[in-house]
Amino acid sequence: MTSIGGVEMVDWNLAVATATRLVRPGPEVSRDEARAVVAELRRHAKSSEEHVRGFTRMAVPGGPASDTPVLVVDRAGWIRANVAGFRQILSPLLGKMQDRRGGLPGGAVLGAVGGKVTGVELGMLLSFLASRVLGQYETFAPASRDLPAGTAGGGRLLLVAPNIVHVERELDVAPHDFRLWVSLHEETHRTQFTAVPWLRDHIESEIQAFLGETDVDPATLLERIREAVQSLGGGRPDGEEAAERGASPSIIELVQTPAQREILARLTAVMSLLEGHADYVMDGVGPDVVPSVAEIREKFQKRRASGAGRLDQALRKLLGLDAKLRQYRDGERFVRAVVDQVGMDGFNRVWTSPNTLPTKSEISKPAEWVARVHRKAES
């Protein structure tokens, strides 16, 4: 990443140090229990490959042993992996901002101070998320000594052991079943990206287009943030789009340009598809291999919807995490409706090319996607 006098826009090491210092400790387990959990999660991740690929009928080039490692990590490991991912995907934008700042008087000093402030802020955010994520397929994952990743652009699958143990205890569900259920969801994401070679590049190009539209003028950005804060505090109307939703937007939504909103609409549709597909698959496979899947789903849905408390709900709203919850729900409904209408093979046409991905409108109206993709293919 470009820097001035060795100073980067974000102090990434400080972000890791801050997050690992602030993150809450995991559940109490003995050393033998921890080893047993890690071993079981690795077994489930391996067995999930066959279950998921058999159910989805998605072929992975090179066979079941795909080019993406499975890593069972603790909360600190999840933090390090995500900082590395952020650093890679944000590099072009931060380099652009660094160049802009370098032309300003005192730019190097501002960069040093700003980098540490941003590092602390990122660390605080990651400390909040690190105790909540059960698993994650890292699409943009640079390899390191401690965190291997697939070669030739492959990612890695993370299973966060302390969080899985915490939730299974909180829900009072069968540990074996819950761990396999979570593994099925994350394995579906790995299958999506390994079976659809163009998907990673497509999403990366959309993200870079979104970041490329970011206005890096400090005065303009400051004004947008000020407006965002006023809106969240009730100081100004939230806009027509928010009014239609009946809720105030997140800060992420408020600082967007019109072009970014269009890109985000496409990204939202893709993420809804991916998350909904994973939920559909984990529940579809579940009855054959997870005896208590119905109980797990019911309890997990209640937990997912309610949040841990008022502070948790406020942070989820501020960070736009409520939108992710809608993606699970809306995407699963889309997948279920399409499979019911045209079968699994008919649904799998969604992976043909970027042109066959559903639009944001089609996610809520699956019949429109079926009409567009299947009628065009049959004509």
Side-chain angles (χ1 to χ4, degrees):
M1 186 183 302
T2 57
S3 61
I4 301 175
V7 176
E8 294 184 347
M9 290 287 292
V10 179
D11 189 328
W12 300 105
N13 291 332
L14 183 57
V16 172
T18 300
T20 52
R21 184 176 67 253
L22 295 179
V23 70
R24 292 182 295 180
E28 292 186 8
V29 295
S30 68
R31 181 170 296 182
D32 288 342
E33 286 175 318
R35 288 173 177 167
V37 170
V38 171
E40 183 173 19
L41 286 172
R42 286 175 176 160
R43 290 196 303 271
H44 286 329
K46 181 65 177 176
S47 65
S48 293
E49 292 182 18
E50 182 178 354
H51 294 315
V52 169
R53 292 166 195 181
F55 182 82
T56 63
R57 304 177 193 170
M58 296 176 72
V60 177
S66 62
D67 187 38
T68 53
V70 176
L71 307 180
V72 181
V73 298
D74 57 11
R75 291 171 178 176
W78 181 87
I79 288 168
R80 290 194 300 272
N82 276 266
V83 167
F86 279 135
R87 187 171 189 168
Q88 175 158 307
I89 199 67
L90 293 176
S91 180
L93 172 63
L94 295 183
K96 182 180 176 182
M97 295 179 71
Q98 187 76 59
D99 292 341
R100 176 71 65 89
R101 177 173 286 176
L104 299 175
V109 175
L110 289 173
V113 175
K116 292 190 178 300
V117 171
T118 307
V120 169
E121 292 173 340
L122 177 59
M124 293 173 66
L125 169 62
L126 289 173
S127 71
F128 169 75
L129 296 174
S131 62
R132 287 158 173 79
V133 177
L134 301 181
Q136 174 183 348
Y137 180 79
E138 277 201 297
T139 314
F140 311 104
S144 67
R145 183 180 61 184
D146 299 329
L147 294 165
T151 59
R156 57 180 167 234
L157 191 152
L158 306 179
L159 295 171
V160 191
N163 296 350
I164 292 172
V165 172
H166 170 76
V167 174
E168 70 191 26
R169 290 178 178 178
E170 182 182 87
L171 298 181
D172 189 25
V173 294
H176 172 84
D177 287 3
F178 185 74
R179 294 167 193 175
L180 178 54
W181 189 69
V182 172
S183 298
L184 290 169
H185 182 102
E186 302 310 328
E187 175 58 35
T188 302
H189 286 317
R190 183 164 70 150
T191 297
Q192 290 163 348
F193 283 93
T194 53
V196 187
W198 55 264
L199 185 59
R200 179 189 184 277
D201 290 341
H202 172 70
I203 291 178
E204 182 176 18
S205 68
E206 290 282 57
I207 292 173
Q208 292 304 332
F210 181 89
L211 296 176
E213 290 290 334
T214 300
D215 192 333
V216 294
D217 176 67
T220 302
L221 188 59
L222 180 62
E223 178 61 27
R224 287 199 186 139
I225 293 174
R226 185 180 298 116
E227 291 177 358
V229 172
Q230 290 174 347
S231 178
L232 289 170
R236 64 189 295 274
D238 292 330
E240 293 180 2
E241 183 177 349
E244 290 175 0
R245 292 197 308 266
S248 60
S250 67
I251 283 181
I252 295 174
E253 293 172 303
L254 284 163
V255 298
Q256 292 166 13
T257 65
Q260 285 176 316
R261 291 191 184 97
E262 292 182 8
I263 297 170
L264 189 66
R266 296 195 297 269
L267 279 171
T268 297
V270 174
M271 298 313 296
S272 296
L273 170 69
L274 299 181
E275 296 294 358
H277 183 233
D279 266 13
Y280 178 80
V281 171
M282 71 195 296
D283 288 345
V285 173
D288 292 331
V289 297
V290 183
S292 60
V293 63
E295 177 192 359
I296 291 173
R297 166 58 70 188
E298 181 181 3
K299 290 182 175 180
F300 192 77
Q301 287 286 56
K302 289 180 179 177
R303 181 184 186 275
R304 180 188 274 177
S306 64
R310 289 185 177 181
L311 177 59
D312 187 75
Q313 292 176 16
L315 286 170
R316 290 194 322 185
K317 178 59 187 175
L318 185 67
L319 299 173
L321 299 182
D322 280 349
K324 186 173 180 64
L325 299 182
R326 290 194 297 272
Q327 288 172 6
Y328 286 110
R329 181 194 64 210
D330 297 344
E332 196 274 341
R333 289 175 180 170
F334 170 84
V335 176
R336 185 174 300 279
V338 172
V339 173
D340 286 348
Q341 187 169 347
V342 297
M344 185 63 73
D345 290 336
F347 165 79
N348 281 339
R349 288 189 185 180
V350 77
W351 312 117
T352 304
S353 75
N355 292 330
T356 57
L357 292 172
T359 65
K360 189 176 180 180
S361 173
E362 289 170 342
I363 285 289
S364 59
K365 300 175 182 178
E368 293 185 359
W369 180 86
V370 171
R372 176 173 67 87
V373 173
H374 282 262
R375 288 178 184 172
K376 182 177 181 180
E378 293 165 1
S379 62

